[in-house]
Amino acid sequence: MRASLRLSALPLAFLASVLVAPGLAEAHILQGAAGGFGSGFEHPLTGADHFLAMFAVGLWGAQMGGRSVWTLPVTFPLIMVLGGVLGISGFLLPGIEIGIALSLVGLGLAVACAWKPPEWTALALISVFAICHGYAHGAELPSAADPADYAIGFVLATGLIHLLGIGVGLALHRPFHGRIARALGFLITLGGGYFLASA
């Protein structure tokens, strides 16, 4: 029982450390030229706002269960590509930083409340958030040394973060009736509040 409790506390401690390290949140518009695959892969892992949003998508999908375990994490990067195209094209989409912060608040609350809406509702919600995240990174691609490699690295890292969220969500589904997963959602919501105040 004690070992199980310690293992269950690991994800909570990890996310708490991410939230209290604002230095990890990188600027969305890169300064100068970015590298290729490595820079794209690294960016979602070092930007706390993006990391937590993508983690929350996997966590929420696992919490909802059924097809949502895979439909939410698959839909998010697909729609994110559309947002990226808008960013690359120079299309003006105001309020992106606020949209990204609100994605943390919304996804965090969904997990914290163990909200299980119809699948189409969840997909529509994460699609709006994915547009914001994709747009922010699409605006970076023209300045990258190798935009195609950057995009591949970024999408791969996004998928891995989704898988992490799914794994943690499935692992925490039963212990303490899912309360630890819901606590993670609450922490993500707090992170969203921090980024919203900074936007």
Side-chain angles (χ1 to χ4, degrees):
M1 178 68 177
R2 289 181 180 176
S4 173
L5 181 59
R6 285 196 296 269
L7 287 175
S8 299
L10 287 177
L12 187 62
F14 173 72
L15 278 185
S17 68
V18 171
L19 288 174
V20 298
L24 291 177
E26 302 291 334
H28 293 125
I29 305 302
L30 297 176
Q31 302 301 318
F37 178 87
S39 294
F41 188 86
E42 179 185 12
H43 194 73
L45 300 174
T46 57
D49 47 357
H50 292 292
F51 180 92
L52 291 177
M54 294 164 194
F55 178 83
V57 169
L59 189 61
W60 191 26
Q63 191 181 55
M64 287 181 64
R67 296 191 335 152
S68 297
V69 173
W70 64 268
T71 56
L72 268 65
V74 168
T75 299
F76 190 92
L78 290 178
I79 301 299
M80 195 170 65
V81 169
L82 297 178
V85 170
L86 292 176
I88 292 170
S89 68
F91 182 83
L92 182 60
L93 194 60
I96 289 300
E97 297 296 329
I98 293 175
I100 289 173
L102 288 176
S103 74
L104 292 179
V105 174
L107 291 168
L109 283 175
V111 173
C113 297
W115 185 39
K116 295 184 179 180
E119 185 182 44
W120 70 266
T121 302
L123 291 175
L125 185 63
I126 67 164
S127 294
V128 172
F129 296 151
I131 289 288
C132 294
H133 286 269
Y135 183 93
H137 292 284
E140 299 168 354
L141 291 180
S143 66
D146 191 333
D149 281 354
Y150 182 95
I152 291 170
F154 183 81
V155 169
L156 180 59
T158 297
L160 291 175
I161 297 169
H162 285 329
L163 287 175
L164 175 64
I166 292 170
V168 170
L170 293 175
L172 297 180
H173 179 67
R174 292 186 182 276
F176 305 102
H177 304 287
R179 291 191 186 96
I180 298 176
R182 295 176 69 175
L184 290 179
F186 178 71
L187 287 176
I188 292 169
T189 302
L190 290 180
Y194 168 81
F195 288 113
L196 191 59
S198 304

